[in-house]
Amino acid sequence: MSLIHNQFQHFLIAQQADGRPVELIRSADEIAFLAFDTKIKRLVELHVLKRGQAMDAVGRRSALDRIEQAQSLRGLSFMRVLEHGEENGVVYYSANLNDGESVEDYVSRRGAVPAVTVFCLMHHFVEDLVAAKRCDRLLSLMRVGTPLVTTHEDAFLQLRIVDYGLSGNEAINDDTRTRRVVAECGQLLFVLLTGQPYEGQNPDKYPALTCLPTNLRMLLRTALVDPDNVSPVLEKLMDDIREAYASLVPSIQVRTSKKHLILNEALHPKSHVQSLLLSGVDVAELLKSRYEIASGEDFVRYPFAIPAVHLADRAPVTVHLLPPSRIADKSQYETVPLQMWRFNRESHPNILRSLSLWETPDWTFLTEEREGGFPLSRLLAERGVLNPTEVSVVLRQVCAALDQAQECGVTRVDIHPSNLVFKVGREGTPTGREYDRLMQKRLDAWPPFLLKVRTHSTMRALYEPLLVEPSVSGEDQESFRAQKDFRNRSFVALAVYLLTGERQVGSVPEFGEAVPDTLAAFLKEMLLAGRYEGTTPVPADFLSQFESHMVAPSSEGRGFAAIRAMGDTPVEELESAGSVSDFDEDWAKVEPAAPSYLKARTAPLGLGVKPMPKEKPMDRGSLGMILWGIGASALAVIAFLTFFGGGSPNQGVSTTTSVPSPVVNPNQTKDGSGGSPAVRTKTPEEIKKAIVPTQVELQRLKQTQDTVQSAVGPSSGIGGAPVATARQ
């Protein structure tokens, strides 16, 4: 590998103050330079395998194949490979710039990390490793035990692998590959939980390890003491880490693990790139003559964006740190558009304006107006993806911002989500619980907000990869046609980015269930057409087609499309899904009941499924008739028992009840005390005397019946039947 005037092909190698190339510590087998890619106008990492030595044909072919696998990796735990190639037997590749510090430097500076934070970090880390098992050749030599401690959206702590081991020879035994990966993950757990590197210590001497759940403790001890016999199953390690995390937090917080990764002063890793840009000088010392750095809980000092107050007029500003000319040549990118002076706050509300630019040979600062808000990329970090309606809301404001920029003569605008800033309400930045509730709401349910677009450069914009690659036509990228086509293709790529949550370059996007099939097919067609110049529609036309495909009637069951299609149905034709009304009597004619053979079948109610017909409730008149009938029957029974309750079976019905004579116990003594209650069988004469009334009783009964007949009438029976007399 030969560097001519600190340039290798289309990469400009960054220089230190003494003229030496800026090297990044990534791998012992590679040389990593900080460079500027003149094709995509971005700061990148240039990795050279074997430290610039030529490789044989077999090793070169193996390295290039694994680099191609690395380009297909998805996940925050991996650095993104952008481009690769070879020159004179030397293999190289470029990756996005990663800022942070090594895990050893991180724990030696701040000590052990809290256990809850460690388990959250490692769970996301191992989860990405499980997803990368499809790239088995790449995973075989990946150095997972020495990741970089970095941040995600300057808000969440993150571990990232920056050494893929591409200079080494591939392993043959698959079992050995995964055992090594699991063993290195165990060593990484030891470093984070104890705050010191593993050098053969006894893990049972550390309380942070002995209090772990049994499964994870045994797996960790085996990975440290006997790594050759550790379980090669990554899924088991992930489950054990999840179990350890669930044992430390309430069950309701298990699903919200990101809350434990929010950065604070104690968790924030040190920025290595900032120290390179400033040559070790404190940023507060550089700004103290002009600006006062804002402090407090509401202000966070990011490595390249510092909230401050101008000392002259006390105006709130944001000071952006930009690379000096020795890091990135100013002729390669436009720091501030020449037409910036045309932007007006009232006429161009969707443009975030810059205020001043301060340049020296050693550093460069840019200031912009500071308004409360947060970038769109932060919303994506919280939510993952947006649904089509939310994407439509965002695209409308981005389209308005592009029109406002074009009105002022600015044709090239980078609309990466990190350059799009939300200003919600009057204050702009909700805090605390208001912010948490806002992140859980849909965008169309938010308070009034503005989405502002940066047209100037920032350090974040200089190392974030572009949404789209330059077109394959080979035309000059600075021409008017090329910039117009770049704007159109970036608008399409932004829509796909918001729906999938990741940058789509060289891969087929995978949409979620909320995206209709017709919309997904349309976006894939637009991405394919965007590879060639002049085939992508302008943002306004694309937005119109995007919204028409959102509610296409041909979309089958892709969640959101089916719900949105209901908006075309009149309200009076919408059917109930099981609700009960208090006005059943006022309804129209009830539909006939289903056949008997269908009544036993039940099915869940859904869209387009009619509920089972309900029978009309009984009115008050029917209930009154039933109660009246019950009362009349009760009175009839009482009257019957009163008048005809006690005659013998041969007498018919009598109004009185005869009482039989008592039976005397022959064993009873004169004083009334009886002997043993002996059982004696009654004679027929005694039974007849006890049942058949005497003549005196018959006469009394006859007199009583005559008295009743004289008082009631000749026909005193119920229903006109005469009352039966006593037995003749």
Side-chain angles (χ1 to χ4, degrees):
M1 177 181 179
S2 60
L3 297 179
I4 301 177
H5 302 293
N6 290 321
Q7 182 174 357
F8 175 71
Q9 294 189 0
H10 56 278
F11 298 100
L12 299 178
I13 309 300
Q15 302 179 25
Q16 299 182 8
D18 56 3
R20 293 179 301 169
V22 177
E23 294 189 18
L24 303 174
I25 302 175
R26 295 295 182 261
S27 173
D29 300 329
E30 301 175 1
I31 300 178
F33 296 105
L34 177 62
F36 187 84
D37 191 337
T38 58
K39 283 186 177 181
I40 62 176
K41 311 297 183 183
R42 288 292 185 271
L43 284 169
V44 297
E45 298 179 6
L46 179 61
H47 293 249
V48 183
L49 304 188
K50 292 286 187 180
R51 303 193 67 84
Q53 298 179 3
M55 303 176 66
D56 56 13
V58 177
R60 188 165 59 250
R61 185 68 264 167
S62 172
L64 291 175
D65 291 343
R66 284 179 286 162
I67 292 176
E68 291 179 358
Q69 284 191 346
Q71 284 185 296
S72 64
L73 283 179
R74 294 293 181 267
L76 298 175
S77 300
F78 307 107
M79 67 175 177
R80 179 63 62 87
V81 176
L82 304 177
E83 185 183 353
H84 67 282
E86 60 174 310
E87 182 183 80
N88 299 328
V90 177
V91 180
Y92 68 91
Y93 67 92
S94 64
N96 64 303
L97 180 60
N98 300 279
D99 188 23
E101 57 183 330
S102 64
V103 64
E104 292 83 1
D105 295 340
Y106 181 75
V107 297
S108 63
R109 179 177 58 84
R110 71 166 311 279
V113 184
V116 175
T117 304
V118 171
F119 295 144
C120 290
L121 273 175
M122 290 300 300
H123 182 266
H124 294 298
F125 187 72
V126 178
E127 189 176 20
D128 288 341
L129 289 177
V130 171
K133 288 178 65 175
R134 55 185 175 83
C135 304
D136 53 347
R137 297 178 61 187
L138 179 66
L139 192 64
S140 62
L141 293 176
M142 189 179 291
R143 302 290 187 264
V144 302
T146 57
L148 193 71
V149 182
T150 182
T151 63
H152 176 45
E153 294 299 330
D154 289 328
F156 303 101
L157 198 63
Q158 180 69 44
L159 295 176
R160 185 164 299 156
I161 299 174
V162 293
D163 185 5
Y164 289 158
L166 297 172
S167 298
N169 298 323
E170 291 188 72
I172 300 176
N173 191 350
D174 292 338
D175 188 55
T176 305
R177 299 176 183 179
T178 52
R179 287 186 191 276
R180 182 193 58 81
V181 173
V182 174
E184 290 188 4
C185 288
Q187 296 177 7
L188 180 59
L189 268 172
F190 180 90
V191 172
L192 293 173
L193 289 173
T194 63
Q196 52 186 287
Y198 179 71
E199 297 176 351
Q201 303 95 318
N202 185 2
D204 295 333
K205 294 182 178 180
Y206 295 91
L209 304 182
T210 56
C211 66
L212 297 177
T214 304
N215 293 336
L216 183 60
R217 186 174 70 253
M218 297 299 294
L219 180 63
L220 182 58
R221 181 187 290 113
T222 307
L224 296 174
V225 178
D226 191 10
D228 294 335
N229 294 322
V230 71
S231 173
V233 183
L234 280 171
E235 290 81 359
K236 183 179 184 302
L237 175 61
M238 183 176 64
D239 294 339
D240 293 343
I241 294 176
R242 185 190 297 113
E243 178 189 3
Y245 168 69
S247 65
L248 297 178
V249 299
S251 58
I252 196 174
Q253 296 183 7
V254 173
R255 290 181 172 268
T256 58
S257 59
K258 270 195 171 182
K259 297 297 181 182
H260 300 284
L261 300 179
I262 297 178
L263 290 175
N264 51 38
E265 291 295 333
L267 290 178
H268 212 294
K270 186 178 179 181
S271 175
H272 179 61
V273 176
Q274 185 193 61
S275 62
L276 289 176
L277 298 184
L278 299 178
S279 300
V281 181
D282 186 15
V283 66
E285 292 293 328
L286 295 175
L287 299 179
K288 66 179 183 180
S289 61
R290 298 188 181 186
Y291 302 99
E292 176 185 350
I293 296 179
S295 60
E297 297 181 356
D298 297 335
F299 301 98
V300 182
R301 288 179 56 182
Y302 300 114
F304 310 109
I306 302 100
V309 177
H310 197 277
L311 294 177
D313 54 3
R314 308 301 298 178
V317 297
T318 300
V319 181
H320 288 275
L321 174 62
L322 293 176
S325 298
R326 59 182 174 84
I327 301 294
D329 190 0
K330 294 295 190 298
S331 62
Q332 295 295 328
Y333 69 97
E334 189 176 34
T335 306
V336 179
L338 298 177
Q339 301 84 357
M340 178 61 69
W341 61 273
R342 298 181 180 178
F343 291 129
N344 182 273
R345 183 189 297 270
E346 289 76 18
S347 303
H348 311 99
N350 293 103
I351 301 297
L352 186 60
R353 300 180 304 132
S354 63
L355 301 177
S356 62
L357 181 64
W358 176 21
E359 290 183 323
T360 67
D362 296 324
W363 45 75
T364 302
F365 294 99
L366 180 144
T367 61
E368 70 178 13
E369 54 186 2
R370 175 158 60 89
E371 298 179 349
F374 53 91
L376 175 60
S377 55
R378 174 65 186 275
L379 177 63
L380 286 177
E382 294 274 0
R383 297 269 299 274
V385 296
L386 303 182
N387 60 47
T389 299
E390 295 175 309
V391 174
S392 176
V393 173
V394 171
L395 294 182
R396 283 181 177 275
Q397 296 216 27
V398 174
C399 186
L402 293 177
D403 293 340
Q404 295 169 16
Q406 190 173 10
E407 178 183 347
C408 297
V410 180
T411 56
R412 186 181 181 90
V413 180
D414 186 5
I415 54 175
H416 192 278
S418 61
N419 277 338
L420 306 177
V421 181
F422 281 109
K423 180 185 177 183
V424 184
R426 294 183 179 180
E427 299 297 331
T429 305
T431 58
R433 292 183 59 85
E434 294 182 1
Y435 177 82
D436 294 337
R437 287 195 296 266
L438 195 66
M439 292 295 105
Q440 298 174 3
K441 291 182 179 179
R442 294 162 52 103
L443 285 181
D444 48 358
W446 279 17
F449 67 89
L450 274 178
L451 188 62
K452 296 196 169 189
V453 179
R454 286 192 181 99
T455 57
H456 51 274
S457 296
T458 62
M459 185 64 189
R460 174 74 181 276
L462 285 176
Y463 68 76
E464 284 284 356
L466 288 171
L467 291 176
V468 293
E469 297 291 344
S471 62
V472 297
S473 62
E475 186 178 351
D476 183 15
Q477 300 300 316
E478 301 299 329
S479 64
F480 176 78
R481 290 182 55 187
Q483 292 183 357
K484 181 180 178 181
D485 184 68
F486 173 79
R487 179 189 60 186
N488 298 342
R489 292 187 296 115
S490 298
F491 195 77
V492 175
L494 176 63
V496 179
Y497 188 101
L498 298 179
L499 290 172
T500 60
E502 59 183 4
R503 175 175 172 264
Q504 301 293 335
V505 174
S507 60
V508 179
E510 298 180 0
F511 297 98
E513 295 183 356
V515 182
D517 293 333
T518 54
L519 179 59
F522 168 71
L523 292 175
K524 292 178 181 179
E525 180 184 352
M526 289 293 99
L527 284 178
L528 183 61
R531 299 180 181 179
Y532 305 96
E533 185 178 358
T535 57
T536 307
V538 297
D541 295 343
F542 171 79
L543 180 58
S544 176
Q545 298 179 48
F546 180 90
E547 293 179 343
S548 64
H549 285 87
M550 281 171 50
V551 293
S554 59
S555 300
E556 298 180 358
R558 292 300 291 272
F560 179 75
I563 297 175
R564 278 297 301 267
M566 291 179 60
D568 300 333
T569 305
V571 177
E572 59 272 10
E573 295 183 9
L574 295 178
E575 297 175 353
S576 172
S579 60
V580 179
S581 175
D582 294 332
F583 304 97
D584 291 330
E585 296 181 358
D586 299 335
W587 284 6
K589 181 180 179 181
V590 181
E591 295 183 2
S596 58
Y597 62 90
L598 291 178
K599 290 183 179 180
R601 302 182 182 181
T602 58
L605 291 175
L607 297 176
V609 179
K610 295 184 179 181
M612 294 293 293
K614 300 182 289 294
E615 295 182 359
K616 189 174 181 179
M618 188 178 300
D619 55 8
R620 297 181 180 178
S622 301
L623 181 61
M625 291 293 293
I626 292 177
L627 294 178
W628 183 87
I630 294 174
S633 301
L635 290 176
V637 172
I638 294 173
F640 180 81
L641 294 177
T642 302
F643 296 110
F644 316 107
S648 64
N650 297 326
Q651 286 179 304
V653 180
S654 176
T655 58
T656 61
T657 304
S658 61
V659 180
S661 301
V663 179
V664 181
N665 186 359
N667 297 327
Q668 188 174 1
T669 60
K670 294 181 179 180
D671 57 354
S673 62
S676 60
V679 180
R680 184 177 62 86
T681 306
K682 296 180 181 181
T683 61
E685 290 77 11
E686 293 177 344
I687 296 175
K688 180 178 181 181
K689 183 178 179 181
I691 297 177
V692 178
T694 61
Q695 293 296 330
V696 178
E697 293 175 346
L698 291 175
Q699 290 177 2
R700 291 178 181 176
L701 180 61
K702 179 64 174 175
Q703 292 175 2
T704 303
Q705 291 180 352
D706 294 340
T707 304
V708 173
Q709 285 185 354
S710 61
V712 177
S715 299
S716 59
I718 298 176
V723 180
T725 59
R727 191 182 64 171
Q728 300 297 329

